[in-house]
Amino acid sequence: EAEVAQSPRYKITEKSQAVAFWCDPISGHATLYWYRQILGQGPELLVQFQDESVVDDSQLPKDRFSAERLKGVDSTLKIQPAELGDSAMYLCASSLQRGRTDTQYFGPGTRLTVL
Amino acid sequence: AQSVSQHNHHVILSEAASLELGCNYSYGGTVNLFWYVQYPGQHLQLLLKYFSGDPLVKGIKGFEAEFIKSKFSFNLRKPSVQWSDTAEYFCAVIPGAGNMLTFGGGTRLMVKP
C-alpha cells in the first residue's frame, strides 16, 4: 500500500538554528499538506499545495517558516530560526484530487524538539 | 469561530464494553466528516468518512459513525472494544467543497484487558 514518506522522523535542535523537513506524497497525488500537531491537540494546517502552487498558507508563520514544492512532487518545510514554541509533530498529508474534497493520507510525521 | 469539539479527552473502558465518542462541529451548510485514529507509535489512519448519502457510515475494524445534521454531530461507535483499540481518535471536518480539514482535539482511549 502506498504511503506518504517523511524524514527525518525525529529532530532535536537548539533555538535559533535552522531545520528542514522533507515529505514525499503518495505517487500521483496532486495536493500536499503540512500540519503541525502540538502534544495533546489535533493537527492544524500550516500550508496546502496544489501541484507546485500554494493554495493556502494563511496559518503559516511566514517570518520564520517557509515551504516549497518546486516540481509538484516532494516538498520541504523549513523553520529559520527555530523557537522553543516550535516543538511539535510536523505532519505531511496528500490527497489525489485537485481542488475537490478528498481523503487526506498522512505520513508518520517528524517530531521536532527545540532546546 | 468555527470549530470541531470532542468533549471526551480521555476514555477508559474494559474489553467488550461499548464505545461512543462524541464529535460536534459548528459549521453550517454542507460538511464532509472524518474519523482518524492514531495507534501508539503509528501515523494517523482513516477510520471512516462521510461525504453524502446514508448518514450511518461503516468503517474499518468494526467502527461506525452516524451523521446527525440537526445536532451537528458525527459520533463514533463500536459495540465491543478490544485492547488493540487503544489509541487516540480524531474527528475532522471539511466544510463545503474545499480541502480545509479542521481537527478536533482528540480523544485518548485506553482499553483495559
Side-chain angles (χ1 to χ4, degrees), chain A residues 43-81:
Chain A
E44 294 181 322
L45 181 69
L46 291 174
V47 61
Q48 176 184 341
F49 290 91
Q50 184 174 294
D51 301 308
E52 67 277 6
S53 300
V54 173
V55 173
D56 188 319
D57 63 357
S58 57
Q59 301 304 309
L60 189 70
K62 298 181 191 62
D63 56 335
R64 298 184 299 107
F65 286 63
S66 63
E68 59 184 16
R69 192 185 183 199
L70 293 176
K71 296 182 179 180
V73 180
D74 59 338
S75 175
T76 302
L77 177 69
K78 297 179 181 177
I79 308 175
Q80 183 173 17

Side-chain angles (χ1 to χ4, degrees), chain B residues 42-62:
Chain B
Q42 297 188 27
H43 59 278
L44 276 167
Q45 301 172 37
L46 181 69
L47 263 183
L48 49 79
K49 62 184 178 184
Y50 171 82
F51 283 3
S52 64
D54 189 342
L56 184 61
V57 180
K58 295 194 183 298
I60 61 171
K61 305 187 180 186

Side-chain angles (χ1 to χ4, degrees), chain A residues 36-44 87-89 111, chain B residues 6 8-10 38 88-90 103-108:
Chain A
R36 177 170 58 186
Q37 184 178 17
I38 295 169
L39 194 62
Q41 300 180 20
E44 294 181 322
S87 293
M89 178 75 86
R111 183 168 294 283
Chain B
Q6 293 181 244
N8 306 105
H9 298 294
H10 292 90
Q38 190 166 28
E88 189 156 19
Y89 293 81
F90 293 93
F103 283 85
T107 297
R108 195 175 294 273

